[in-house]
Amino acid sequence: MQKRITITVILAIFSIAIMNLSCSRETRMSALVVTGQNNHHWQRSSVALKQILEKSGIFTVDMSISPATGQDMSGFIVDFSPYDVVVLDYTGDDWPEETRNNFVNYVQNGGGVVVYHAANNAFPDWPEYNEIIGLGGWGGRNENAGPYVYIQDGEVVEDNSPGRGGSHGRPHEFVVEAFNPSHPVLEGLPERWMHTEDELYSELRGPAKNMEVLAYAYADEKFGGTGRNEPLLMTITYGNGRVFHTVLGHAGIGDRFFPAMESAGFVVTAQRGAEWAATGKVTQAVPASFPTETQSLRWEFYEDIYSDITPVVERMKKYETGKSNDSFNIFRKLIAENLDDRNKMDEYHNIIRDLLKSRNSTLECKRILLTEFSWIADDSYLDIYKKLKNNRRLSDEAQYALELIGK
Ligand code: ZN
């Protein structure tokens, strides 16, 4: 009897603990994503940002979606004051004066802001906005916007030479390097990590007042870059407000697959930057999996991509050496998770066989499928493998695959 009572008490304590856990959901901070116009795929980027913030476990997220480009903006009145952090995913028509004033007052009074990618293209003629974002690009920006800012010999350089504000070379993978590794946003993360294929924003210019560079990357001329170390992650203070600015995370209009927003490095720094902007501290643990200096990494908690495998297949089909091999990693993960699901495995076998047969898939794609995916193959692959064995450039790999199925 004594024992049973003890167990009951333990269970009661346990359920109170669980209740407390579920109550803590109520105390999550609130974030607002502002979007609706952008020269990027804002319909997807804003949903990705919402997912990123929610999966941090510390934010609830609302969306504020503006009228479309060229429509009447007078009704787009946004009250920022209830939010701990405002995430800007907007570049387009001017906000009404009331919304502009609300925003400046919100930051002035201690509100947090995350400036995401092309949000730094917005509002070139709004001085307060440019002070809040620190640096901007495009929109006719030039030396009147403020200096170029970059890193040279370990120092932040402000360069007032005349010229355009904003450029980038061809998208590619690049190494992000910490400039201030002890800042709460970066503390505990590797000091150098490979970012997934993205635009490397360069030649940004702006007031850069009360701005601190957290991380940068070398914009290699071989990809059409400036040959400078360009700032990528920044913080700005404006009044009592804190701003985290990330230029990473391009989401193209035509793309169905966004490697840049799916980069674990982009996601984790955005989550930590949002928390820092909201509170001045970062309580989120450093994740166990993070890109290394030589290998980019897809954030493992994205959901939407799994509902549609088509873009993954398209990426595999076009794979060339030196490009991100994320699509194969996703496909490998899907296979591993669904080995017992007959229908899904049939679908994946069809995909592999079609890619191996297709004239439109690259040699490199076929090479990877032969060497890394033939362990799931069976006799239904036999004719395809035999045919590829006659291809001089794939015969070794095809022979290897044939041996794996015992032929
Ligand atoms: Zn972009």
Side-chain angles (χ1 to χ4, degrees):
M1 195 61 190
Q2 185 76 41
K3 206 170 192 180
R4 184 161 294 174
I5 290 167
T6 315
I7 288 172
T8 313
V9 169
I10 289 171
L11 280 176
I13 290 169
F14 199 64
S15 30
I16 289 166
I18 286 173
M19 273 164 59
N20 280 339
L21 272 179
S22 49
C23 286
S24 72
R25 283 168 160 269
E26 305 305 315
T27 61
R28 283 187 186 203
M29 291 185 286
S30 57
L32 178 70
V33 176
V34 183
T35 189
Q37 291 184 31
N38 208 305
N39 53 344
H40 290 71
H41 200 323
W42 64 265
Q43 295 90 338
R44 290 293 300 272
S45 60
S46 57
V47 171
L49 289 167
K50 185 172 194 288
Q51 198 178 120
I52 288 168
L53 291 168
E54 285 175 344
K55 294 215 172 181
S56 71
I58 57 172
F59 289 109
T60 59
V61 183
D62 291 338
M63 298 276 223
S64 177
I65 300 175
S66 74
T69 310
Q71 303 293 306
D72 177 14
M73 290 288 285
S74 62
F76 185 60
I77 305 302
V78 183
D79 179 9
F80 302 94
S81 62
Y83 295 97
D84 296 295
V85 67
V86 169
V87 180
L88 299 170
D89 180 24
Y90 181 97
T91 175
D93 295 341
D94 285 344
W95 293 344
E97 191 179 354
E98 186 179 344
T99 298
R100 291 203 303 270
N101 289 339
N102 286 350
F103 182 65
V104 174
N105 290 334
Y106 162 79
V107 187
Q108 190 75 254
N109 293 330
V113 177
V114 173
V115 181
Y116 154 68
H117 197 60
N120 69 22
N121 299 188
F123 311 132
D125 303 319
W126 178 7
E128 291 86 354
Y129 185 81
N130 283 279
E131 283 198 23
I132 289 168
I133 66 174
L135 291 174
W138 297 274
R141 283 176 173 85
N142 58 23
E143 56 276 15
N144 298 326
Y148 294 118
V149 175
Y150 47 88
I151 308 292
Q152 198 170 48
D153 302 325
E155 304 278 340
V156 177
V157 176
E158 295 198 356
D159 176 346
N160 286 298
S161 54
R164 65 177 175 184
S167 70
H168 61 75
R170 294 187 298 286
H172 62 290
E173 293 203 324
F174 49 83
V175 176
V176 176
E177 302 192 43
F179 183 71
N180 182 355
S182 59
H183 190 279
V185 172
L186 299 185
E187 198 174 8
L189 299 178
E191 293 191 16
R192 294 164 61 86
W193 49 270
M194 184 65 83
H195 181 45
T196 312
E197 190 176 322
D198 198 354
E199 294 168 341
L200 204 172
Y201 269 18
S202 298
E203 295 186 292
L204 298 178
R205 52 194 320 165
K209 278 192 217 163
N210 305 315
M211 187 181 91
E212 199 181 331
V213 176
L214 302 191
Y216 62 93
Y218 176 65
D220 200 327
E221 287 164 307
K222 133 177 129 185
F223 298 101
T226 54
R228 290 176 184 159
N229 290 312
E230 299 286 355
L232 304 180
L233 306 178
M234 285 83 77
T235 60
I236 300 101
T237 51
Y238 182 90
N240 293 317
R242 279 175 299 269
V243 182
F244 173 72
H245 183 159
T246 177
V247 309
L248 302 175
H250 171 81
I253 297 275
D255 302 350
R256 296 183 65 203
F257 187 69
F258 306 126
M261 288 200 89
E262 296 182 349
S263 155
F266 166 74
V267 170
V268 169
T269 51
Q271 289 173 324
R272 297 171 69 90
E275 184 180 5
W276 179 83
T279 67
K281 288 189 272 240
V282 176
T283 59
Q284 296 165 75
V286 170
S289 52
F290 199 79
T292 66
E293 188 175 341
T294 53
Q295 182 64 58
S296 61
L297 182 73
R298 183 177 183 276
W299 187 47
E300 59 186 313
F301 300 113
Y302 260 117
E303 284 165 2
D304 57 343
I305 198 73
Y306 293 96
S307 61
D308 181 8
I309 196 172
T310 318
V312 180
V313 176
E314 283 305 305
R315 299 265 303 175
M316 291 196 290
K317 186 186 259 181
K318 293 181 191 146
Y319 176 72
E320 303 275 2
T321 309
K323 279 197 174 176
S324 166
N325 60 1
D326 275 4
S327 49
F328 291 97
N329 292 336
I330 295 166
F331 192 46
R332 194 177 284 116
K333 190 172 171 190
L334 286 170
I335 290 172
E337 284 168 358
N338 292 292
L339 280 171
D340 298 329
D341 184 330
R342 184 75 185 272
N343 290 335
K344 287 227 166 99
M345 288 306 292
D346 282 348
E347 184 193 346
Y348 301 152
H349 281 301
N350 282 333
I351 288 169
I352 297 174
R353 286 187 297 251
D354 287 347
L355 286 171
L356 286 171
K357 283 190 282 189
S358 170
R359 286 162 185 263
N360 297 323
S361 47
T362 62
L363 265 183
E364 287 305 321
C365 166
K366 289 175 181 164
R367 190 165 280 143
I368 290 181
L369 291 175
L370 286 169
T371 52
E372 296 177 29
F373 289 81
S374 44
W375 64 274
I376 59 162
D378 54 27
D379 281 1
S380 67
Y381 286 72
L382 187 57
D383 290 343
I384 300 169
Y385 287 166
K386 279 185 175 165
K387 204 167 173 200
L388 289 170
K389 201 173 170 234
N390 295 326
N391 181 333
R392 173 171 59 79
R393 287 177 294 180
L394 290 170
S395 59
D396 288 350
E397 291 83 358
Q399 176 61 36
Y400 170 79
L402 278 167
E403 282 165 19
L404 270 184
I405 59 168
K407 305 289 163 180

